[in-house]
Amino acid sequence: MMSSRRVLSRADARAVYDRVGAWQDPQAFYEAPALDALAEQGAFEAAGTVIEIGCGTARFARRLLRTRCPPPTQYEGIDLSGTMVRLAKARLASFGPRATVRQTDGGLTFDRPDGAVDRVVATYVLDLLSRGDARTLIGEAHRLLAADGRLCLAGLTWGEGLLARAVSWGWDRLHAFRPEWVGGCRPLRMRPFLEGACWQVRHHRVVTGWGVPSEVLVAVPE
Ligand SMILES: C[S@@+](CC[C@H](N)C(=O)[O-])C[C@H]1O[C@@H](n2cnc3c(N)ncnc32)[C@H](O)[C@@H]1O
């Protein structure tokens, strides 16, 4: 099931996340199993340059820089919410020049040369974008990634067991009614965005945290 209904505009997404601020962290209790899998499967130990789109409060970035990335790794977080950027900068301050965070207007193409990045990360971001913006993000990741680079994605998806299916359905209905109540996120299948588009999928699975299903996807450009 694919939702092609109204998604938050960039202005609305900025307003929602400026309001959510630090509450993003406790609200994201269901993300843990997906972020664990992504941290394991993303081969961050071999990454010289990491870009994260929609970095939020930089919780995942701090974990990667502390426990996975070697000291020379350069990290750049990008977000359209000024509040998130402020929180992310504070959280990553101790990493000094290794970590930078930048506010954007929500555009999903970036001023970096082709093949200049080792990891492009986006967690719980594709599921709030329009399908067109999601395709732009994936196309831009393909351009940015080095030959052995990896696209590392996690996001809400449709569950398979009875409980997970019921949770996905309820979440989807809530999104249809008031997308801002669920931070603009709705269940989405990300893998079809990569099909026929020069990607080799290295890892793909659905995990469930607190009954909420998430898709984890790691792919290399071909
Ligand atoms: C659901 S939160 C996820 C935050 C974080 N990645 C995590 O997993 O906890 C979505 C984040 O994406 C940001 N965002 C939404 N649309 C964006 C866009 N077009 N460009 C950059 N950031 C965006 C929001 O401001 C917010 O911080």
Side-chain angles (χ1 to χ4, degrees), residues 8-10 13-14 16-18 24-25 28 30-31 35 52-60 78-82 84-85 102 104-108 110 121-129 133 137 154 182-185:
L8 294 183
S9 67
R10 288 176 185 170
R14 173 177 285 141
V16 165
Y17 284 97
D18 278 348
Q24 169 65 25
D25 290 342
Y30 55 84
E31 294 182 3
L35 297 183
E52 182 175 10
I53 302 162
C55 63
T57 63
R59 214 164 31 111
F60 191 51
I78 287 163
D79 206 289
L80 56 53
S81 153
M84 289 299 178
V85 167
R102 187 160 61 89
T104 64
D105 64 1
L108 295 160
F110 306 102
V121 177
T123 65
Y124 300 88
V125 175
L126 249 73
D127 51 21
L128 64 73
L129 298 178
D133 274 355
L137 187 157
V182 284
C185 299

Side-chain angles (χ1 to χ4, degrees), residues 15-118:
V16 165
Y17 284 97
D18 278 348
R19 208 163 49 234
V20 167
W23 283 101
Q24 169 65 25
D25 290 342
Q27 274 180 29
F29 56 93
Y30 55 84
E31 294 182 3
L35 297 183
D36 289 350
L38 201 60
E40 267 167 33
Q41 298 297 327
F44 291 98
E45 293 76 5
T49 316
V50 177
I51 287 191
E52 182 175 10
I53 302 162
C55 63
T57 63
R59 214 164 31 111
F60 191 51
R62 182 176 62 179
R63 171 186 184 168
L64 293 179
L65 288 166
R66 269 189 183 163
T67 66
R68 297 275 169 181
C69 297
T73 304
Q74 291 289 322
Y75 168 92
E76 183 181 33
I78 287 163
D79 206 289
L80 56 53
S81 153
T83 302
M84 289 299 178
V85 167
R86 185 172 46 74
L87 292 168
K89 280 185 173 170
R91 182 162 271 167
L92 300 181
S94 63
F95 296 98
R98 284 182 74 194
T100 55
V101 185
R102 187 160 61 89
Q103 185 175 5
T104 64
D105 64 1
L108 295 160
T109 55
F110 306 102
D111 188 17
R112 291 232 188 178
D114 296 2
V117 176
D118 298 310

Side-chain angles (χ1 to χ4, degrees), residues 135-136 180 199:
R135 274 189 219 99
T136 301
E180 53 283 356
W199 290 99

